[in-house]
Amino acid sequence: MEDRQPPVAAVMVARDPGPWFEDALASLRDQNYEDLVVLVVDAGSRQDLRRRVASVYPGAYVSRFNSDRGFSAAANTALSSVRNASYLLFCHDDVVLDPECLSELIAFATSGQVQVTAPKLLQWDDPSRIASVGASADRYGRLWPRAEAGELDQGQHDAVREVLAVESACILVSWEIFEKIGGFDPGICFGGEALDFCWRARLAGSKVAVVPTATARHLGATRRGIRSLAGLIGRESERAREAQAELLAYAEARHRLRTVLCVTPALSWVWLIWGLIGTSLESALVARLRGERLRSRLEWEAWKWVAGHPRELWRRHREVRAKSTMQGEREVRRLLTAPLHPLLEELASLAGLGTPGRRARPARALSGASAVTLGVALLLLVGSRHLLGGGLAQLGEIWANLSPAAMLKAYWSGRRIGVGSTIRTPPVGWVILALLAGICGGSEAAAVRALFFAAMVGGVVGSWRLGSEFGGRGGAVVASI
């Protein structure tokens, strides 16, 4: 006897959809999945969508909002409108699913105990190119996609992999986890709702994965400027209506700050806020370099919103942290990437050393890189042979031939003693020198050699990392040498 398919409720959020709407509805109707009901949530469209829905999918239900409160609030209608569903499939109104998409997502979700899954999203006009296969992010909420938008799909991302976040354009969620974390954040209308939801789901102990055998085409009408966001996030000016890209930047900046502050433990807020200010400054500088003055200013308007809603943010923070688990915290830390630096990438592109926009993460070192590393190490050894084996040059007061005990005594005396120049150094420098001498068996000369050699190694490592940001591996080699 065949296992019964778990019941699924598809929730399509629609707002002033264009001619693509019928194709999106038809793709849900044509899914090769029996136990499926469809709810279309009309999120404040200017015209009632019931007639258009009935013409394509008569069996679909329609729920209408009188005003547009954003994707999250509309999607959360499922909490009160849906009953007896094991899974919820959330879709934008500009996504066309492959007929086997839902079946593939359910098969993977039920076999691997994965609570949040998403298909491989392809471009609407050219399905041979990738729109999204999930993303990671740094601790400041800046996304790092697994694939560049428009990347040619050659099967390079067809391995199933857990990710930190997926797109909300098409996302399958178990009812249990959706109810547990309270659905999408209603305070995020558009732009960043998927990262917030997936991050919270991860903290609650859920798994998030992209299933590449399930595919869907995504138009991205709002990001393309086909559908306006003006008024949705509280900016009604004529200039805002024209500057769709800047408006999206404001929404994403505001929601990024909201998400990161709500998911991060309060004890880490002091350092986190400084880091977030730094990322906003960096983003503002990048916008200035690109001549996007309005976008630069909107970064700081996002901070004005944060400063004006402390109680709301604190209340939301407590709700999120109350549902977090230790295992979830560990999983999130594992999936977070190192802090991203869009300013360095932009400078590199301006210098002709890279392409505009975010570059793909550099691949791990290949066999040739090992030879380069060995060569740089040999250069260091040859260049420092006199330092390692010969006498140490006496320059000014670089060394007073003191024992570790004498150095500690100098520290406790509180005197400021010159080391290598006319600039006086803090006494704590003597503690460092004493510790180095102790590690080196009490040899003062060996401590100084170690200090100089460590400085050289640190310089090479720093040059390598700086060069790799501007010119890839070739730039790293040149900078190191």
Side-chain angles (χ1 to χ4, degrees), residues 82-422:
V82 174
R83 292 289 182 272
N84 304 320
S86 299
Y87 289 89
L88 296 168
L89 177 68
F90 294 98
C91 299
H92 291 187
D93 62 22
D94 57 355
V95 171
V96 170
L97 282 67
D98 181 82
E100 300 293 330
C101 181
L102 179 55
S103 297
E104 293 286 346
L105 291 176
I106 287 291
F108 182 80
T110 54
S111 64
Q113 297 299 309
V114 180
Q115 291 78 15
V116 181
T117 57
K120 175 168 63 176
L121 292 178
L122 306 174
Q123 290 191 344
W124 182 272
D125 302 318
D126 185 0
S128 67
R129 296 190 176 274
I130 295 172
S132 175
V133 285
S136 182
D138 64 12
R139 60 178 173 267
Y140 304 120
R142 294 181 293 190
L143 287 172
W144 187 284
R146 284 184 58 197
E148 293 288 335
E151 184 178 325
L152 187 64
D153 184 11
Q154 297 176 308
Q156 67 272 34
H157 298 290
D158 281 359
V160 177
R161 182 192 297 179
E162 287 190 50
V163 293
L164 179 64
V166 295
E167 292 279 353
S168 64
C170 184
I171 179 172
L172 181 73
V173 185
S174 73
W175 173 266
E176 180 183 3
I177 191 62
F178 191 76
E179 186 179 41
K180 178 180 179 180
I181 66 175
F184 292 94
D185 183 352
I188 298 180
C189 50
F190 183 87
E193 73 282 348
L195 175 63
D196 177 88
F197 178 83
C198 293
W199 201 324
R200 289 187 293 114
R202 278 282 185 185
L203 287 176
S206 300
K207 295 181 180 179
V208 181
V210 172
V211 183
T213 54
T215 59
R217 293 187 296 122
H218 184 209
L219 175 61
T222 303
R223 293 190 180 279
R224 288 190 181 188
I226 302 173
R227 174 167 43 203
S228 175
L229 270 179
L232 179 59
I233 56 176
R235 297 188 60 80
E236 294 282 2
S237 71
E238 195 63 36
R239 171 57 180 149
R241 290 190 181 93
E242 297 171 359
Q244 184 80 346
E246 285 83 356
L247 196 58
L248 279 168
Y250 168 71
E252 290 173 347
R254 190 177 94 179
H255 299 152
R256 176 176 66 88
L257 296 176
R258 177 187 177 96
T259 294
V260 175
L261 288 170
C262 289
V263 300
T264 305
L267 293 177
S268 303
W269 271 17
V270 174
W271 308 113
L272 176 70
I273 289 174
W274 280 111
L276 287 172
I277 292 173
T279 62
S280 295
L281 177 61
E282 190 174 26
S283 298
L285 288 173
V286 169
R288 283 283 183 176
L289 288 172
R290 295 176 179 173
E292 301 169 349
R293 293 187 177 182
L294 177 60
R295 189 166 183 169
S296 174
R297 181 164 55 84
L298 290 177
E299 283 287 334
W300 303 112
E301 290 200 14
W303 275 101
K304 289 181 182 178
W305 182 91
V306 169
H309 298 78
R311 291 184 179 179
E312 178 184 342
L313 289 173
W314 179 246
R315 182 174 62 253
R316 183 63 182 170
H317 168 81
R318 293 182 62 183
E319 292 173 358
V320 172
R321 295 304 304 173
K323 298 170 184 176
S324 300
T325 65
M326 292 298 294
Q327 179 63 26
E329 292 277 6
R330 286 193 290 268
E331 285 297 304
V332 168
R333 285 196 296 269
R334 178 177 66 85
L335 292 166
L336 288 176
T337 186
L340 308 175
H341 297 290
L343 179 59
L344 290 178
E345 294 171 6
E346 183 65 21
L347 291 174
S349 68
L350 291 174
L353 299 174
T355 56
R358 182 166 296 163
R359 299 175 295 164
R361 183 184 294 278
R364 286 189 176 273
L366 303 176
S367 56
S370 301
V372 171
T373 304
L374 180 60
V376 172
L378 288 174
L379 281 175
L380 272 176
L381 290 173
V382 172
S384 58
R385 61 187 184 278
H386 294 299
L387 173 63
L388 296 175
L392 192 65
Q394 298 291 325
L395 301 175
E397 296 180 351
I398 197 168
W399 196 247
N401 200 26
L402 299 175
S403 66
M407 291 183 226
L408 290 175
K409 183 178 179 181
Y411 168 72
W412 287 113
S413 69
R415 292 182 290 115
R416 294 178 178 266
I417 303 176
V419 180
S421 71
T422 57

